[in-house]
Amino acid sequence: MASHIEWELYRSFLAVLTEGSLSAAARALGIAQPTVGRHVAALERALGMPLFTRSQTGLSPLESASSLRPLAEAMRSAAAALERAAASQGAGVRGVVRVTASEVIGVEVLPPIIAGLREAHRDLRIELVLSNRMQDLLQREADIAVRMVRPDQKALIARRIGRIEVGLHARRQYLERHGTPESAADLEAHTLIGFDQPSAFVRAAARSISLQREAFALRADSDLAQLALIRCGAGVGFCQVPIARREGLVRVLARRFRLSLDTWIVMHEDLRNSARCRVTFDALAEGLRAHLAQVASG
Amino acid sequence: MASHIEWELYRSFLAVLTEGSLSAAARALGIAQPTVGRHVAALERALGMPLFTRSQTGLSPLESASSLRPLAEAMRSAAAALERAAASQGAGVRGVVRVTASEVIGVEVLPPIIAGLREAHRDLRIELVLSNRMQDLLQREADIAVRMVRPDQKALIARRIGRIEVGLHARRQYLERHGTPESAADLEAHTLIGFDQPSAFVRAAARSISLQREAFALRADSDLAQLALIRCGAGVGFCQVPIARREGLVRVLARRFRLSLDTWIVMHEDLRNSARCRVTFDALAEGLRAHLAQVASG
DNA sequence: GCGAAGCCATGCAGAACTGTATAGCGGATC
DNA sequence: GATCCGCTATACAGTTCTGCATGGCTTCGC
């Protein structure tokens, strides 16, 4: 037997959850505030439990509502993906593709690739979602992901790009002023740029190269901020070798500090027959390969 | 900006897709046929493309509709999971838990475990989904899965049960009549029971023990059918050792033919705080462990 | 301490949607 | 070849739902 809870109620429910009030949710959905209120009331009646505590400042979710949130978000993601898929039907490469990548890749590497892609396909739209968390694809938050770990889910199509090397770099002017470190011990005299709150990957990496959080004189969680600091000569820090080459940064202690990120492009297999996704997938693969190849020739 | 396609339309769309006609979809949804027709028309208008070709025998989906189906199903799964989660809110162990497992496990092993669980928690409802495909959990088609492969997805909570051994077995009466094979070559004189269309696992297993499809005199894709054939003395076939012990089946060529299935119980991490899922998870783990331990003592 | 802004709840008129009934068509069955 | 069954499409009446306007409340800023 099919349940008789209207899906429309879930949408209002989620909007209230994210916006924090009936009025704000109504604005976001483009409907009237009393309507949202009635939807929430109807959902509470249908589920047989209260979901929010009303107040004059808005609605605050009860635990019950919070626990339902991930599922409502899954519905929204699927609905959004469905619209993207529908908008791209028909012949030719057209419609919207959502691409997710890390901040560094998304800012430093992807833009020229995407620009070229757009040049070839004028009806293609790209949405770039930069995030370091990577639980996106199966939730349909994005169509294609550039990831630094081998994907292990069966339902995904993956193509390996190769290993992006990461090393310690500094600006030439900085090294001319402070000298070039020749050993790990020399680093103590330098301004080290590193993480503040380490992510899982960074923790593992830091262990493998034996650098502790305390070693860093300049700390920033944002990889982009770290890169900007290195680039303007603030000190010595980690960045991807291909980017460093392009920027004319000088690598130091290459033998001692060497990490590499296995890079993959991943797509949900449901999108295999989507022209826009295939084209984007291939363009990203080719562009990233060229980006990596730059190291060998540069 | 939020899209303004009503989620309710997707539900009617999916019902038409699965039922094959407006009338049948209307019956399944408990609404009137013209309403479903209007929903589909509204969705086609909203998406700007036709989705079905109308005929007097029903609606047949166009390619565009078929390609959107997985996403609509994702929405339905999430909606169903949301209702399950909501129904189980509150103190105590209550509500519905959907458990998925292979056919053999679901029929031969789980029933007594579930019966005991129900004895302890009268307000608990269990839905058993038997299927050999295992892409269920992340799509929220089930809450808990019993699987034969190590789960590799981060968002899942997994507990390893152990290895279930699989071996060649026959009924005692069969062996008394046809003799007990002492070598792999002896098997040629026996009625071998095996697969028809091999699944991925079976292919790998068959390779490892060097048995080809042609070797089987009785073929059935259903593991349950194979088990039933062995059980009634029709021939020699593969089945799980703990089940064979319980049934009094005799293992043959134990040294030569030996496989084992690594067994896991898996749950989405979102359900960690759900009492009903935790209890079911633990009961399944304990029951399956006991089932395996039977081998040692039996 | 006072006004402005934001919020929720309610009454009411209008719009939108739903359900019932029916006509028309095609395929299956005897 | 006639009948029955199931399907879609349309007309129409009723109900439901939505949006607007308003009242009452709290919080924030001056």
Side-chain angles (χ1 to χ4, degrees):
Chain A
M1 187 195 93
S3 149
H4 53 284
I5 299 183
E6 294 178 29
W7 286 8
E8 206 56 23
L9 303 186
Y10 295 133
R11 185 152 73 149
S12 293
F13 165 70
L14 183 57
V16 173
L17 219 40
T18 56
E19 301 291 335
S21 77
L22 296 182
S23 307
R27 280 193 297 272
L29 293 174
I31 58 181
Q33 164 256 318
T35 301
V36 180
R38 285 186 281 252
H39 283 179
V40 171
L43 185 60
E44 288 178 325
R45 205 171 336 116
L47 296 179
M49 68 176 72
L51 293 169
F52 298 91
T53 53
R54 272 78 169 171
S55 78
Q56 310 293 358
T57 69
L59 275 68
S60 53
L62 295 170
E63 194 188 338
S64 55
S66 305
S67 71
L68 301 179
R69 178 170 189 161
L71 292 161
E73 284 175 341
M75 288 188 75
R76 180 173 59 185
S77 303
L82 198 154
E83 276 194 63
R84 284 201 302 276
S88 68
Q89 289 284 340
V93 176
R94 51 190 305 278
V96 178
V97 179
R98 275 173 76 92
V99 177
T100 179
S102 71
E103 290 190 325
V104 170
I105 295 288
V107 170
E108 299 292 334
V109 182
L110 296 190
I113 300 174
I114 290 172
L117 187 60
R118 279 274 305 163
E119 207 63 41
H121 303 281
R122 305 300 297 182
D123 291 332
L124 192 63
R125 301 274 181 279
I126 303 287
E127 289 181 14
L128 204 48
V129 186
L130 301 189
S131 149
N132 286 328
R133 76 198 166 92
M134 37 187 70
Q135 40 171 335
D136 313 302
L137 275 196
L138 287 156
Q139 313 288 347
R140 313 276 185 172
E141 288 176 31
D143 298 314
I144 298 177
V146 181
R147 290 184 170 178
M148 299 314 185
V149 292
R150 182 196 197 97
D152 42 20
Q153 194 63 22
K154 304 289 189 308
L156 299 178
I157 298 174
R159 189 178 301 171
R160 186 168 183 275
I161 301 301
R163 301 194 73 88
I164 296 182
E165 202 169 344
V166 173
L168 214 47
H169 292 82
R171 198 180 180 192
R172 185 175 310 278
Q173 288 88 333
Y174 170 89
L175 294 174
E176 287 168 356
R177 218 166 27 241
H178 297 85
T180 299
E182 303 290 347
S183 71
D186 287 356
L187 283 176
E188 286 188 21
H190 285 268
T191 303
L192 261 182
I193 299 166
F195 56 84
D196 186 17
Q197 299 296 324
S199 66
F201 166 76
V202 169
R203 255 197 305 273
R207 199 164 39 239
S208 82
I209 59 175
S210 65
L211 276 181
Q212 302 300 324
R213 180 174 181 279
E214 289 68 26
F216 300 117
L218 292 175
R219 295 173 192 158
D221 281 340
S222 161
D223 295 331
L224 288 172
Q226 293 184 23
L227 181 57
L229 287 168
I230 300 170
R231 199 181 261 154
C232 75
V236 183
F238 286 97
C239 82
Q240 300 178 11
V241 172
I243 296 173
R245 289 281 173 102
R246 194 188 59 197
E247 301 286 324
L249 298 174
V250 180
R251 184 156 184 191
V252 301
L253 296 172
R255 296 231 179 78
R256 175 68 182 82
F257 297 104
R258 141 186 330 270
L259 294 169
S260 69
L261 305 168
D262 203 17
T263 306
W264 296 77
I265 299 187
V266 193
M267 171 169 82
H268 201 289
E269 65 176 0
D270 289 349
L271 301 173
R272 186 190 319 235
N273 295 324
S274 161
R276 76 191 199 285
C277 289
R278 283 192 67 91
V279 165
T280 307
F281 190 91
D282 292 341
L284 289 175
E286 191 184 341
L288 282 169
R289 283 234 171 82
H291 173 68
L292 257 72
Q294 197 172 278
V295 182
S297 65
Chain B
M1 187 195 98
S3 148
H4 53 286
I5 298 182
E6 295 179 26
W7 287 7
E8 205 56 23
L9 303 185
Y10 295 133
R11 185 152 75 147
S12 294
F13 165 70
L14 182 58
V16 173
L17 220 41
T18 57
E19 302 291 334
S21 78
L22 296 182
S23 306
R27 281 193 297 272
L29 293 174
I31 59 180
Q33 165 256 319
T35 302
V36 179
R38 285 186 283 252
H39 282 179
V40 171
L43 185 59
E44 287 178 325
R45 205 173 335 119
L47 295 179
M49 69 175 72
L51 294 169
F52 298 92
T53 52
R54 271 78 168 170
S55 78
Q56 310 294 356
T57 69
L59 276 69
S60 54
L62 294 170
E63 194 189 336
S64 54
S66 304
S67 72
L68 301 180
R69 179 171 186 159
L71 292 162
E73 283 175 340
M75 288 188 75
R76 181 175 56 185
S77 302
L82 197 153
E83 275 194 63
R84 283 201 301 277
S88 68
Q89 290 282 341
V93 176
R94 51 189 307 278
V96 178
V97 179
R98 276 173 77 93
V99 177
T100 180
S102 70
E103 292 189 325
V104 170
I105 294 287
V107 170
E108 300 291 334
V109 182
L110 296 190
I113 300 174
I114 291 172
L117 188 59
R118 278 274 306 162
E119 207 62 41
H121 304 282
R122 306 300 296 183
D123 291 333
L124 191 63
R125 302 273 180 280
I126 303 286
E127 289 180 15
L128 203 49
V129 186
L130 301 188
S131 148
N132 286 328
R133 74 199 168 92
M134 35 188 71
Q135 41 172 334
D136 312 302
L137 276 195
L138 288 155
Q139 313 288 346
R140 312 278 185 170
E141 289 176 30
D143 298 314
I144 298 177
V146 181
R147 292 184 169 178
M148 299 312 185
V149 293
R150 182 196 197 97
D152 42 20
Q153 194 62 24
K154 305 287 190 306
L156 299 177
I157 299 174
R159 189 178 301 172
R160 186 167 182 275
I161 301 302
R163 301 193 74 88
I164 296 183
E165 202 169 341
V166 173
L168 215 46
H169 292 81
R171 198 181 180 193
R172 185 176 310 279
Q173 287 89 332
Y174 171 89
L175 295 175
E176 287 167 358
R177 223 171 18 244
H178 298 84
T180 300
E182 302 290 346
S183 72
D186 288 354
L187 282 177
E188 286 188 21
H190 284 268
T191 305
L192 261 182
I193 299 167
F195 54 83
D196 184 20
Q197 299 295 326
S199 66
F201 166 74
V202 169
R203 255 196 304 273
R207 200 163 40 239
S208 83
I209 60 174
S210 63
L211 276 181
Q212 302 299 322
R213 181 174 181 277
E214 289 69 26
F216 299 116
L218 292 175
R219 294 173 191 157
D221 280 341
S222 161
D223 295 331
L224 288 173
Q226 294 184 23
L227 181 57
L229 288 169
I230 301 170
R231 199 182 263 153
C232 71
V236 184
F238 286 96
C239 82
Q240 299 178 12
V241 171
I243 295 174
R245 289 281 174 103
R246 195 187 59 197
E247 301 286 324
L249 298 174
V250 181
R251 183 157 186 190
V252 300
L253 295 172
R255 296 229 179 79
R256 175 68 182 78
F257 296 105
R258 132 184 344 265
L259 295 169
S260 69
L261 305 169
D262 204 18
T263 306
W264 295 76
I265 299 188
V266 193
M267 173 169 80
H268 201 288
E269 66 177 358
D270 289 351
L271 300 173
R272 189 190 317 236
N273 295 324
S274 159
R276 77 190 197 287
C277 289
R278 285 192 66 91
V279 165
T280 306
F281 189 92
D282 291 341
L284 289 175
E286 190 183 344
L288 283 169
R289 284 234 172 83
H291 173 69
L292 259 73
Q294 200 171 278
V295 183
S297 65

